[in-house]
Amino acid sequence: MTDRDRAAGPRRRLRRLQLRLTLAYTLTTLVGVSVLSWLVIHTDGRSWRNAEFDEMLRHAAVSTSLIYYTDAGVQLDGLRDDESTRGRHQVFVLLSRTRIGTPAKGVADGAGKDTTGRPAAGRATDEVRTTGAVRPADRARPAGPGGLDRVFTSGSRSVPVPDERIAALARTAMDEDVTVREEVPAGDRTAYAVARPFYHDETQETTGAVVVIGDPGLRMAEHTRLTYAVLTGSGLLTLLAAFTGHLLSGRSLRPAWQALEAQERLLADAAHELRTPVAIMRSSMDVAGTDPRNLPTHLPRIRRATDRLTDVVENVLTRGRLQDSAASFSPVPLRLDQLVEDACGELPPGRLTLTLRLDESVVDADPALTRVAVRNLLDNALRHGRTPGDPHGGAEIDVSVRGHTVSVADRGPGVAAEELPELTERFRSRGGGSGIGLSLVREIAAAHGGTLTARPRPGGGAAFLLALGPAGQARHARAGTS
């Protein structure tokens, strides 16, 4: 299994976790929006239903108030021109046969006569519409069981409610002496029905009932439009929630992605940098094993490989610390000149010309990280800054501290300012180095709010300048990169 395959496993798990978080956020939003939509639609439908029934109740009340009795019988002339019987609702008047005698003797027609042909005293002529047709008199059509005759019908029967159902509603209202309102079947749909009893003017006995039939489809169109609007809005809101959840889950997993990338870089650094010194030590030991008498010859090579291995391990650990949380970064007031002097004192003895120009300087920095940065600059000068033409390979290094800047200059081949970004990338070295030294110096400088720059040295060579942030700036710089 390759390193890429190993890295792909955690990445796939993080992607699956992001998808699960997005799905959970979307489902939560969907449930909430669905419940809210149901409440809105149900409440609006109930409001329309109640409003329809209230209007039908008013029509039933007005219609019963317009029915009165005279010596000639029940009078229905007031129902014709009233708005309550000319609207979109159907109004039926049903009269009992048993309580007031035969309807033929008790219903006055529009010519001022009752159904026996006798004049109805004191009444103007009128016509009554029934089942959509205007007729000189309503001859008390039977409307179903229960001894009820339909004596008045307004408008056309746009809602096909069976006559038996209308008679049953009227009978219930009369028997129980209450106003009845129900939803009744009307073919393949449902209609609203209201039945209200009316009374004889003198005996106050229940003599009949007014039944009002309404078509809910005529008024529920607004409710249907609202339903479509709510469902469309809910769908769009759910899609927006899914998109937002995906963004938020990705943002919440960003520290995990950064930690994974940091771990991969750390492992890559370790694998890349440990390979060379380990190979040198192994080959030297193999050669020395074939002829133990040559062991002293290979010991210096093994020692150099060990020293390089130690430097690599320290640099890799330092990089891991920089990539860790801000808690591992601890800037304190630090004497920069003393730290640089101590680091120069650790240089290995050899053909080395070292010049120190150290001004007293106090900076706010992490001592361990600053020491690693200075040591890497000195190691870079020793490896690449040897004086050209020196047969002994000696190096001339000039180290200075001014303010919050450390300068390390050598007499090597030099480096142009535009080449510095390439040299401070991981695994980029002009040869003989670990490939992460200058890149680590740059990261340490950035953590302190500073920079790493390079410029040509007068007389040949290069000078690397490590600028640490002034006192108090390091904490802000680290907080800004976390």
Side-chain angles (χ1 to χ4, degrees):
M1 180 180 294
T2 63
D3 294 339
R4 180 171 297 182
D5 294 335
R6 295 189 186 95
R11 291 182 181 274
R12 281 196 298 267
R13 288 195 293 270
L14 283 177
R15 291 191 185 97
R16 286 197 297 267
L17 177 59
Q18 183 178 4
L19 290 177
R20 286 195 293 267
L21 290 175
T22 302
L23 181 61
Y25 187 84
T26 304
L27 289 179
T28 301
T29 304
L30 180 60
V31 171
V33 169
S34 299
V35 172
L36 183 61
S37 300
W38 180 85
L39 288 176
V40 171
I41 294 173
H42 180 72
T43 302
D44 184 73
R46 186 170 56 185
S47 298
W48 281 110
R49 178 178 180 273
N50 292 336
E52 181 72 7
F53 270 120
D54 289 342
E55 184 176 355
M56 293 169 62
L57 287 171
R58 287 194 298 271
H59 288 180
V62 172
S63 297
T64 56
S65 67
L66 295 175
I67 300 173
Y68 62 95
Y69 281 86
T70 64
D71 294 338
V74 61
Q75 305 298 317
L76 306 175
D77 54 325
L79 294 176
R80 176 184 176 186
D81 297 327
D82 193 79
E83 294 182 356
S84 62
T85 59
R86 290 189 300 175
R88 55 188 177 86
H89 299 107
Q90 295 176 270
V91 179
F92 301 91
V93 178
L94 287 87
L95 192 64
S96 174
R97 303 173 188 170
T98 58
R99 300 190 181 185
I100 304 297
T102 304
K105 298 180 180 180
V107 180
D109 64 9
K113 302 178 181 179
D114 64 16
T115 54
T116 62
R118 293 189 301 270
R123 301 303 305 168
T125 60
D126 199 358
E127 290 184 345
V128 177
R129 287 189 299 171
T130 176
T131 64
V134 179
R135 297 161 56 172
D138 193 313
R139 290 178 171 78
R141 286 179 56 186
L148 295 176
D149 291 321
R150 188 190 321 143
V151 297
F152 178 86
T153 301
S154 70
S156 61
R157 297 193 61 175
S158 59
V159 183
V161 178
D163 293 340
E164 294 78 6
R165 187 60 180 168
I166 295 175
L169 289 171
R171 175 57 61 189
T172 301
M174 294 171 60
D175 291 344
E176 299 181 6
D177 198 18
V178 294
T179 300
V180 179
R181 71 176 201 174
E182 291 183 3
E183 295 183 11
V184 297
D188 58 349
R189 52 180 172 165
T190 301
Y192 295 159
V194 170
R196 180 184 176 93
F198 60 88
Y199 313 93
H200 192 282
D201 294 338
E202 296 180 358
T203 64
Q204 298 301 314
E205 182 181 1
T206 304
T207 58
V210 173
V211 179
V212 181
I213 303 296
D215 184 2
L218 299 177
R219 193 163 186 174
M220 294 297 284
E222 292 290 336
H223 173 69
T224 302
R225 285 194 290 270
L226 175 67
T227 301
Y228 288 150
V230 170
L231 293 179
T232 302
S234 300
L236 294 176
L237 185 60
T238 302
L239 292 178
L240 179 62
F243 178 73
T244 305
H246 187 72
L247 293 181
L248 292 178
S249 60
R251 190 176 185 85
S252 64
L253 290 177
R254 186 178 299 173
W257 284 105
Q258 293 174 348
L260 178 61
E261 292 175 355
Q263 182 183 18
E264 292 176 355
R265 286 197 300 268
L266 184 63
L267 293 176
D269 290 345
H272 182 272
E273 300 304 327
L274 294 177
R275 186 178 295 114
T276 300
V278 169
I280 294 175
M281 294 174 62
R282 184 182 181 87
S283 62
S284 299
M285 294 178 64
D286 290 342
V287 172
T290 59
D291 188 1
R293 291 174 298 179
N294 294 332
L295 181 60
T297 305
H298 297 284
L299 284 178
R301 187 182 180 192
I302 296 175
R303 184 177 295 108
R304 288 194 299 272
T306 304
D307 293 340
R308 183 175 178 183
L309 182 63
T310 302
D311 293 340
V312 168
V313 171
E314 183 177 4
N315 284 339
V316 170
L317 293 178
T318 302
R319 180 182 293 278
R321 180 185 172 191
L322 279 174
Q323 295 170 351
D324 199 358
S325 62
S328 62
F329 184 78
S330 306
V332 295
L334 175 68
R335 282 288 298 271
L336 184 60
D337 55 311
Q338 293 180 356
L339 184 144
V340 172
E341 185 177 7
D342 293 341
C344 292
E346 298 174 358
L347 291 175
R351 297 185 177 277
L352 171 66
T353 302
L354 181 63
T355 303
L356 297 179
R357 298 183 179 86
L358 308 178
D359 295 344
E360 182 176 335
S361 174
V362 178
V363 296
D364 196 11
D366 187 295
L369 295 178
T370 305
R371 183 180 298 275
V372 171
V374 173
R375 188 182 299 163
N376 283 357
L377 288 178
L378 294 174
D379 181 71
N380 181 75
L382 285 175
R383 293 181 184 276
H384 308 293
R386 298 187 181 277
T387 305
D390 188 341
H392 302 289
E396 179 184 339
I397 302 177
D398 186 358
V399 180
S400 64
V401 174
R402 291 185 179 179
H404 57 277
T405 302
V406 179
S407 174
V408 178
D410 58 53
R411 289 296 182 186
V415 59
E418 58 271 13
E419 297 178 0
L420 183 61
E422 180 181 353
L423 292 178
T424 54
E425 293 181 7
R426 294 162 50 235
F427 310 145
R428 300 301 295 269
S429 175
R430 290 179 296 179
S434 66
I436 61 174
L438 290 180
S439 67
L440 187 58
V441 175
R442 184 194 57 170
E443 292 185 15
I444 293 175
H448 287 83
T451 58
L452 174 64
T453 57
R455 64 187 182 189
R457 181 184 182 186
F464 289 87
L465 286 77
L466 171 63
L468 301 176
Q473 183 174 343
R475 291 187 178 90
H476 299 297
R478 184 63 176 176
T481 58
S482 60

